[in-house]
């Protein structure tokens, strides 16, 4: 599908996420807790599937040809190590959690204000526990959905193709997938998933803009490095959803910047 309006694919993608999230939030509270648990487990398994498909980019022909047969795995490893160390020193996961908590608290106050009058509200221990649980669900939903929607070949390649004027077919496919995923996530995690639409708009919008201004920003080898690194980060998300290991995926986010840079360094030195 060829269009002359760069960014249209991302707008459609954001729209499907918003619609899917609203539908999920509308039906989510009607489902019993055991159903929420099953949905979360299913999402964890599907996230691992998407992660595996993305991680196979480490065997991409262009990636191997540009860096050598043994380098791709080392590049992904180096990207995660450098990015993870930098992210932990910068406390990205903690800062993201604090930001998400502020946003969640603001939304909760807005919601409470719409339902109640402006009388003082006493907060007891049980309400504090409920607030903490709601905040945790909000953060998990936002971070999980944002990474799932923003990391992957369709997000990068689709946005680049849109910016380069090559069509939005890839983003249309991604929009359908993200819409259904948002519905499922929002039924378990609520409004945090809705906020991930902002993350998608920012990330894909910037990639599309880069495609418009700079042409082909990343060669195939660099995109493969980014995709494979993001795939392993999605493994971390899947493990979190399945309550196997609480990996601080937020601290690994700098790895997405390190991966193409490290790939270029290997190509130059080779």
């Amino acid at each position: 599908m060829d269009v002359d309006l760069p960014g249209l694919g991302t707008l459609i993608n954001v729209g499907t996420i918003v619609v899917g999230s609203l539908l999920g939030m509308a039906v989510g509270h009607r489902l019993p807790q055991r159903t929420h648990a099953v949905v979360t487990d299913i999402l964890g398994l599907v996230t691992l599937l998407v992660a595996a498909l993305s991680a196979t980019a480490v065997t991409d022909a262009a990636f191997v040809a540009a860096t050598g047969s043994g380098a791709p795995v080392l590049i992904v490893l180096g990207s995660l190590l450098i990015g993870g160390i930098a992210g932990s020193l910068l406390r990205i996961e903690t800062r993201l959690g604090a930001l998400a908590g502020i946003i969640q608290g603001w939304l909760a106050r807005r919601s409470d204000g719409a339902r109640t009058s402006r009388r003082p509200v006493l907060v007891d221990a049980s309400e504090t526990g409920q607030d903490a649980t709601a905040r945790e669900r909000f953060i998990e939903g936002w971070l999980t959905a944002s990474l799932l929607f923003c990391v992957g070949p369709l997000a990068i390649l689709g946005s680049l193709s849109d910016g380069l004027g090559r069509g939005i077919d890839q983003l249309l496919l991604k929009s359908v997938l993200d819409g259904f995923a948002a519905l499922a996530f929002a039924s378990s995690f609520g409004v945090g998933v809705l906020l991930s639409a902002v993350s998608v708009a920012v990330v894909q919008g910037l990639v599309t803009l880069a495609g418009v201004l700079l042409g082909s920003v990343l060669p195939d080898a660099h995109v493969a490095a980014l995709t494979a690194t993001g795939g392993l980060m999605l493994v971390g998300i899947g493990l979190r959803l399945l309550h196997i290991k609480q990996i601080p995926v937020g601290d690994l986010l700098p790895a997405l910047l390190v991966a193409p840079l490290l790939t270029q360094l290997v190509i130059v030195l080779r």
Side-chain angles (χ1 to χ4, degrees), residues 8 16 24 26 28 32-33 38-39 51 68 80 86 88 92 102 122 131 146 157 169 183 191 225 232:
L8 177 61
T16 59
Q33 184 58 41
V38 170
V39 170
L80 289 172
S88 64
I92 293 178
I102 292 173
L122 298 178
D131 289 343
S146 294
L157 296 177
D169 293 346
L183 191 155
V191 70
L232 289 185

Side-chain angles (χ1 to χ4, degrees), residues 20-33 35-45 47 100 104 107 130-149 180-196 236-243 246:
S21 298
L22 292 176
L23 290 176
M25 291 164 58
V27 302
H29 67 282
R30 302 178 183 178
L31 301 176
Q33 184 58 41
T35 303
H36 280 287
V38 170
V39 170
T40 302
D41 289 342
I42 292 172
L43 291 172
L45 293 174
T47 300
Q104 189 273 336
L107 292 173
Q130 291 174 355
D131 289 343
T133 300
R135 179 176 178 273
E136 182 179 349
R137 287 178 64 249
F138 179 89
I139 295 171
E140 192 76 9
W142 178 34
L143 181 60
T144 299
S146 294
L147 285 173
L148 183 62
F149 297 155
F180 283 106
L183 191 155
F185 271 106
S187 68
S188 294
F189 294 109
V191 70
V193 179
L194 179 61
L195 189 64
S196 69
I237 288 292
L239 295 179
R240 288 175 65 154
L241 289 173
L242 294 171
H243 304 289
Q246 291 297 311

Side-chain angles (χ1 to χ4, degrees), residues 101-122:
I102 292 173
I103 296 173
Q104 189 273 336
W106 179 78
L107 292 173
R109 288 192 298 271
R110 296 267 301 185
S111 177
D112 291 340
R115 293 194 302 263
T116 62
S117 62
R118 295 184 177 180
R119 67 177 184 275
V121 179
L122 298 178

Side-chain angles (χ1 to χ4, degrees), residues 168-179:
I168 60 173
D169 293 346
Q170 291 174 320
L171 287 184
L172 289 179
L173 173 61
K174 181 178 182 292
S175 298
V176 175
L177 297 175
D178 288 355

Side-chain angles (χ1 to χ4, degrees), residues 122-133:
L122 298 178
V123 178
D124 57 23
S126 63
E127 289 175 331
T128 302
Q130 291 174 355
D131 289 343
T133 300

